[in-house]
Amino acid sequence: MCIRDRPHTVPYKVTGKGGSVRLRLVPAPRGTGIVGSPVPKKVLSFAGIQDCYTSSRGKSRTRLNLLIAVYDALASTYKFLSPDFWAKDEVDATPIERFHAVLNEKAKY
């Protein structure tokens, strides 16, 4: 898998809430880095996010509520099912492929 194929940011704009703090995570272009205050930067880097914009509203000086809001926003990204998580299913033969020989025999009569 090439590095360009790996997810580097959040899949879409998400919002998390913790106490009075609302935190918004916005996808960013590759190479931007995490733009935000130090607390969300640490949590997002531990989560494997490399590029992301953050925006917070409310009393963000309360670190616990800010951490809860970041965690809530990250938890809501797991609603998105990326192709990395798709189940590998084997495709069965269609009925036409399975009964091709029988259908050809009946067509001769």
Side-chain angles (χ1 to χ4, degrees), residues 20-42:
S20 66
V21 179
R22 293 186 194 277
L23 182 92
R24 186 173 188 203
L25 301 177
V26 180
R30 190 176 297 277
T32 304
I34 300 171
V35 179
S37 64
V39 174
K41 269 187 187 179
K42 288 181 182 179

Side-chain angles (χ1 to χ4, degrees), residues 90-105:
E90 293 184 21
V91 180
D92 294 334
T94 63
I96 294 175
E97 292 171 347
R98 274 191 278 159
F99 300 110
H100 178 67
V102 176
L103 292 173
N104 280 339
E105 288 176 13

Side-chain angles (χ1 to χ4, degrees), residues 2 6 8 12 24 30 42 45 47 49 55-56 58-59 62 66 71 74 82 93-94 108:
C2 183
R6 295 187 189 147
H8 63 96
Y12 51 90
R24 186 173 188 203
R30 190 176 297 277
K42 288 181 182 179
S45 65
I49 304 293
S55 171
S56 62
K59 186 85 171 180
T62 55
L66 185 58
Y71 183 80
L74 283 174
S82 67
T94 63
K108 293 179 183 177

Side-chain angles (χ1 to χ4, degrees), residues 35-84:
V35 179
S37 64
V39 174
K41 269 187 187 179
K42 288 181 182 179
V43 175
L44 292 173
S45 65
F46 285 139
I49 304 293
Q50 298 170 355
D51 305 305
C52 184
Y53 297 124
T54 64
S55 171
S56 62
R57 300 183 79 182
K59 186 85 171 180
S60 59
R61 287 183 61 182
T62 55
R63 289 189 180 187
L64 180 63
N65 288 343
L66 185 58
L67 284 172
I68 292 170
V70 173
Y71 183 80
D72 188 40
L74 283 174
S76 66
T77 61
Y78 280 91
K79 296 176 188 173
F80 182 77
L81 186 62
S82 67
D84 302 339

